[in-house]
Amino acid sequence: MIRVPVATPSRSYEVLIGSGLLARAGECLSKMLENRRVFVVTVPPVRRRWAKVLLKSLAASGIEIGLLEMPDGERSKRLATLEKLAEKLIKQGADRGITLIALGGGVVGDVTGFLASIYMRGVDVIQVPTTVLAQVDAAIGGKTGVNLVSGKNLLGTFHQPRVVLIDTTVLETLPAREYRAGLYESLKCGIIGDPGLFRLFEDRRSEILDRDPAVVEKVIADSVRLKASVVSADEREGGLRQVLNFGHTIGHALESETRYTQLLHGEAVAWGMVAATHIALSTGKLDSGTAGRITNAVLGFGRLPRMKLKTANIVKRLRADKKTRQGVVHFILPREIGKVEITSDVPEAIVRSAVDEIRKLSRNL
């Protein structure tokens, strides 16, 4: 089992990574549960495939368990879902001593984390992510949130988990599209701060796509280490942590504009990384050779959905992004492999050109 520490001002905890950890969850978690009552929040597909393994392990350690289901998909990441889950907790007699366990992907983790931060003014949460995207990104760092019609993650809190339990075995059953979508968040980690991880994606692409257990575990562990180091240095996105938003500025706008129905989050981030790379190249911050490597790495993991949208609408969405300050859109732009910078002086014409570029690419793939 690999242990990666995360040290933030509000809480220090570990990310535990290994094969078969779900079956050992009771053993891993029982010592840290002051109250022996937990509520597992999940979605139907994950419940059918993995909940029994987790519940059996917890029960064997003498932990009292409740199970709550929420609808699957990004469209359920709304305040209405949060309220329904809270009402279910009340009906089952959940007090402020409980611990919530998020078993699922990024949506489950964000919603459950948000619920934990406000239920009875705050209860503990444990993250047990079951997708690549959640394992390398969403489950680590304490960000929680739900979407509004106006944009993604506009309501939320910072609420660090007690522990993150990553079982790489669960990735074997992920649909191919969802597996690939999560890889883009891991590739992002390589671009922003780990050249070795980026080279791993270039050199061992086929093994990663074939889900070779040893290679996948290394991809996950290296991504987690990068995320943990950034979060530990900047818990609340005051400066350094903003680099984790590489690809997300335009990516979030794409998700919002398509009403969260056409793109998986990782796919939107992938297009956002291509767009940000185009902006970096157009503003002279990145050389053409490196820009080509980044774009080829992103597009080399399978066909991305076509962009059937208007450039003007995406530019308008950018102004409502939570990373926008006083009407100025901030972009995370690559300077070299392993190094990015935060930029706020990008001319709108170049932003439009970048969106046009990904629209054109999507039609030609």
Side-chain angles (χ1 to χ4, degrees):
M1 183 167 62
I2 300 169
R3 296 175 179 267
V4 180
V6 182
T8 70
S10 61
R11 170 173 283 167
S12 294
Y13 56 96
E14 287 188 318
V15 182
L16 309 180
I17 307 166
S19 177
L21 285 188
L22 269 189
R24 297 167 53 196
E27 170 192 341
C28 296
L29 304 178
S30 60
K31 292 181 180 179
M32 69 181 64
L33 293 173
E34 298 170 6
N35 186 315
R36 308 294 288 180
R37 194 177 189 198
V38 304
F39 286 85
V40 177
V41 182
T42 190
V43 291
V46 178
R47 176 188 60 77
R48 289 191 292 268
R49 185 63 185 85
W50 295 111
K52 184 180 292 186
V53 179
L54 175 62
L55 298 182
K56 181 180 179 180
S57 177
L58 294 174
S61 294
I63 298 169
E64 184 182 348
I65 311 154
L67 183 66
L68 304 178
E69 277 193 10
M70 58 175 280
D72 196 16
E74 187 76 26
R75 296 179 76 180
S76 67
K77 195 174 168 183
R78 303 297 298 274
L79 274 175
T81 303
L82 205 67
E83 184 176 1
K84 289 176 182 177
L85 289 171
E87 291 287 2
K88 290 178 180 179
L89 287 174
I90 293 294
K91 289 179 181 178
Q92 295 189 42
D95 58 27
R96 61 176 51 184
I98 65 161
T99 296
L100 297 182
I101 297 180
L103 176 66
V107 172
V108 172
D110 281 359
V111 171
T112 306
F114 195 2
L115 177 61
S117 74
I118 59 177
Y119 185 76
M120 299 281 182
R121 295 194 174 90
V123 299
D124 283 340
V125 64
I126 292 170
Q127 295 283 352
V128 185
T130 60
T131 64
V132 178
L133 187 148
Q135 290 185 355
V136 303
D137 186 61
I140 304 162
K143 274 189 178 182
T144 79
V146 295
N147 303 330
L148 298 176
V149 173
S150 301
K152 189 176 173 68
N153 294 329
L154 294 180
L155 297 178
T157 60
F158 286 91
H159 190 63
Q160 300 293 345
R162 286 292 305 274
V163 68
V164 180
L165 190 72
I166 294 178
D167 185 345
T168 54
T169 305
V170 304
L171 303 181
E172 296 172 1
T173 61
L174 274 183
R177 182 185 176 190
E178 193 169 346
Y179 175 73
R180 289 196 307 271
L183 291 176
Y184 297 119
E185 284 281 7
S186 186
L187 177 61
K188 175 201 75 176
C189 292
I191 296 168
I192 69 174
D194 188 341
L197 177 58
F198 183 84
R199 287 193 296 273
L200 186 67
F201 272 94
E202 287 186 312
D203 298 341
R204 308 187 72 173
R205 178 186 301 166
S206 61
E207 293 164 272
I208 294 171
L209 286 172
D210 290 341
R211 310 191 201 195
D212 177 276
V215 179
V216 170
E217 184 171 286
K218 180 169 176 53
V219 166
I220 299 298
D222 287 355
S223 303
V224 168
R225 289 188 184 99
L226 187 282
K227 177 77 183 276
S229 67
V230 173
V231 168
S232 296
D234 179 16
E235 180 181 13
R236 292 181 174 264
E237 209 169 61
L240 174 63
R241 187 168 177 173
Q242 293 181 58
V243 303
L244 294 170
N245 289 320
F246 174 57
H248 287 62
T249 306
I250 287 177
H252 281 175
L254 296 175
E255 287 184 278
S256 300
E257 181 64 18
T258 55
R259 294 290 192 270
Y260 310 103
T261 60
Q262 297 179 29
L263 294 160
L264 298 178
H265 175 67
E267 294 170 340
V269 169
W271 279 129
M273 290 193 291
V274 173
T277 299
H278 180 86
I279 291 172
L281 180 63
S282 300
T283 54
K285 298 180 183 297
L286 186 68
D287 65 88
S288 59
T290 305
R293 284 180 69 193
I294 293 173
T295 300
N296 289 338
V298 173
L299 300 181
F301 276 86
R303 185 182 180 90
L304 287 165
R306 187 172 180 177
M307 294 289 93
K308 298 179 181 179
L309 41 76
K310 295 181 179 178
T311 298
N313 291 355
I314 297 303
V315 173
K316 183 179 179 180
R317 290 274 181 184
L318 292 175
R319 301 189 186 106
D321 190 276
K322 64 181 185 303
K323 294 178 286 298
T324 298
R325 300 287 188 273
Q326 297 180 333
V328 178
V329 183
H330 291 71
F331 291 94
I332 315 303
L333 302 180
R335 297 299 304 266
E336 58 188 65
I337 302 300
K339 182 180 179 181
V340 293
E341 71 172 37
I342 303 166
T343 304
S344 60
D345 58 351
V346 179
E348 186 172 300
I350 290 180
V351 177
R352 288 176 175 271
S353 173
V355 178
D356 287 339
E357 175 68 12
I358 60 175
R359 291 177 59 213
K360 181 176 71 175
L361 280 172
S362 77
R363 291 194 298 269
N364 295 334
L365 288 178

